[in-house]
Amino acid sequence: MTNLKEALQVYGKESIKQAKSNLNLTGFAGKKRKTNNTKALSDGLGFDVIETATGYDVIFTTKEEYGIFIEKGVNGTEKNQGSLFKFRGKNLAKGVMEEYIKTSKMRLRKVFINKNGQKVSKFVTKSGKEGEKNIKAAAFMMGRAIARDGIIKTNFMSKAQDRAFEESKEKIAESFAFEKAFEMSSQLRKMGFDVKLT
């Protein structure tokens, strides 16, 4: 393993660490709801350092396909979030919001008019048959709102990469220079020159 590859692996690990931290912050990038509800997104993040013909590439990966939508955002049917992606239907795919509501710590609130004609709200259950009805109703309303307004981009990964690179760039540059010097010295030795790296 070369010094440069080691330096890039440190950069990759730090990028993932920062990305996980970003995902766990409620309110990150102006978002008030958590985007890492089940921890599946943060747990599925990874990276590979791949050797190429010209050096190395650091490839970041995710096991959860929706991660790209959290990173880049999604345009709604009525609101542009400046994304490459866009919702086409008037609601999310069936079951998506229901699963989110079931697995989150979110409490459901129902708004109604009381006998005095006042608009009031109260928390409602998420369990039993009544809970299923409440979840379905909330999922429909929330899914429709998300499809209409879209998803705000968080840049949780790109911001993490930028921060990690700032912390790692000197070590990467130093390792890159050493590796290039080693390559040049090897070529010169083959040509009969006596070269020593100090």
Side-chain angles (χ1 to χ4, degrees), residues 48-71:
D48 291 307
V49 179
I50 309 292
E51 188 166 2
T52 68
T54 56
Y56 295 98
D57 284 338
V58 182
I59 309 295
F60 291 96
T61 60
T62 177
K63 292 179 181 176
E64 300 298 325
E65 290 181 5
Y66 67 88
I68 190 68
F69 303 129
I70 302 299
E71 167 76 10

Side-chain angles (χ1 to χ4, degrees), residues 1-153:
M1 185 183 291
T2 66
N3 285 339
L4 178 57
K5 189 171 184 179
E6 288 174 359
L8 291 173
Q9 286 178 330
V10 170
Y11 158 70
K13 286 178 185 176
E14 185 59 27
S15 294
I16 297 299
K17 179 182 171 185
Q18 299 271 4
K20 288 182 176 183
S21 176
N22 289 343
L23 284 171
N24 290 326
L25 290 174
T26 306
F28 175 73
K31 296 178 71 66
K32 291 185 180 177
R33 66 180 184 276
K34 274 198 166 189
T35 54
N36 195 31
N37 185 41
T38 63
K39 305 290 184 190
L41 182 53
S42 60
D43 290 347
L45 295 176
F47 75 95
D48 291 307
V49 179
I50 309 292
E51 188 166 2
T52 68
T54 56
Y56 295 98
D57 284 338
V58 182
I59 309 295
F60 291 96
T61 60
T62 177
K63 292 179 181 176
E64 300 298 325
E65 290 181 5
Y66 67 88
I68 190 68
F69 303 129
I70 302 299
E71 167 76 10
K72 299 292 185 184
V74 183
N75 295 328
T77 56
E78 296 180 19
K79 193 169 183 180
N80 190 327
Q81 297 292 355
S83 174
L84 298 172
F85 307 107
K86 182 177 181 176
F87 286 114
R88 305 218 176 268
K90 291 185 177 180
N91 209 316
L92 301 188
K94 191 175 180 180
V96 173
M97 282 310 302
E98 288 178 37
E99 185 62 26
Y100 177 81
I101 293 169
K102 285 177 185 176
T103 57
S104 75
K105 294 179 181 178
M106 174 193 305
R107 296 182 69 189
L108 299 180
R109 192 186 289 266
K110 192 172 186 178
V111 179
F112 63 97
I113 306 295
N114 67 12
K115 60 184 177 182
N116 298 323
Q118 298 170 314
K119 193 176 184 181
V120 293
S121 66
K122 68 172 184 177
F123 288 112
V124 295
T125 184
K126 285 168 60 177
S127 59
K129 287 186 179 180
E130 188 63 29
E132 284 295 321
K133 288 181 185 177
N134 294 332
I135 289 171
K136 281 186 178 180
F140 177 81
M141 298 295 289
M142 291 171 66
R144 188 172 62 178
I146 292 171
R148 180 191 66 223
D149 297 337
I151 298 173
I152 301 168
K153 60 185 172 184

